[in-house]
Amino acid sequence: MQTWDKNISPVGWYIGTYMARFIEVDDERNNDLDAQFETWENTVIVKASTLEEAFEKVEKIGIEHAEPYKGGETGVTVQWEYLGIIDLLPIYEELEDGSEIMWAPKHPKKLRNLKSMVKDISALRE
């Protein structure tokens, strides 16, 4: 009898989100725990046999996207610094149109608040 493990994707795909912050490489505030930084959560999918392998792949992607470069008019050295993984979930269905790849339980909210969270296409354009 095969047992089901919620941490293993039966289709071999995982969705991972890592966080990166934008820094000026030589800024002395970079290690100030109270300083504020522009951050991004980047979500990727990876093919892996285990949660651990998926973790390693997502981490590698985040680190590879953290190369310093010259930015702005003055050419100051900046980078998106990889901070770490904030979410990693197995995908349980084959990837195709309509496959459910993520979900998140939410605390109960009033209907008016739920409706205010829904966006139309124009609100989703950047």
Side-chain angles (χ1 to χ4, degrees), residues 46-74:
V46 294
K47 187 85 167 152
S49 306
T50 65
L51 193 68
E52 291 76 16
E53 181 186 1
F55 186 95
E56 290 173 6
K57 284 186 165 190
V58 173
E59 185 170 60
K60 182 178 179 189
I61 291 166
I63 291 169
E64 287 176 349
H65 287 94
E67 291 294 320
Y69 61 94
K70 300 289 185 188
E73 293 179 14
T74 60

Side-chain angles (χ1 to χ4, degrees), residues 14-125:
Y14 295 79
I15 187 162
T17 302
Y18 66 90
M19 183 176 287
R21 70 175 174 152
F22 187 75
I23 61 169
E24 291 184 13
V25 172
D26 295 326
D27 190 329
E28 52 192 50
R29 300 176 317 119
N30 284 342
N31 294 317
D32 179 349
L33 295 178
D34 293 320
Q36 294 187 3
F37 299 91
E38 182 177 349
T39 58
W40 284 72
E41 292 180 8
N42 300 313
T43 301
V44 297
I45 61 171
V46 294
K47 187 85 167 152
S49 306
T50 65
L51 193 68
E52 291 76 16
E53 181 186 1
F55 186 95
E56 290 173 6
K57 284 186 165 190
V58 173
E59 185 170 60
K60 182 178 179 189
I61 291 166
I63 291 169
E64 287 176 349
H65 287 94
E67 291 294 320
Y69 61 94
K70 300 289 185 188
E73 293 179 14
T74 60
V76 65
T77 304
V78 296
Q79 81 178 83
W80 285 98
E81 179 187 56
Y82 171 77
L83 293 177
I85 295 172
I86 60 173
D87 209 356
L88 182 60
L89 299 168
I91 295 174
Y92 299 111
E93 297 180 19
E94 293 291 344
L95 296 175
E96 60 186 22
D97 277 352
S99 294
E100 184 176 76
I101 59 168
M102 296 177 63
W103 62 91
K106 301 292 184 183
H107 295 290
K109 290 181 174 46
K110 293 180 181 177
L111 179 57
R112 89 174 87 259
N113 296 334
L114 293 171
K115 288 188 173 203
S116 72
M117 295 168 63
V118 176
K119 300 173 181 161
D120 65 18
I121 188 66
S122 63
L124 297 171
R125 288 191 197 282

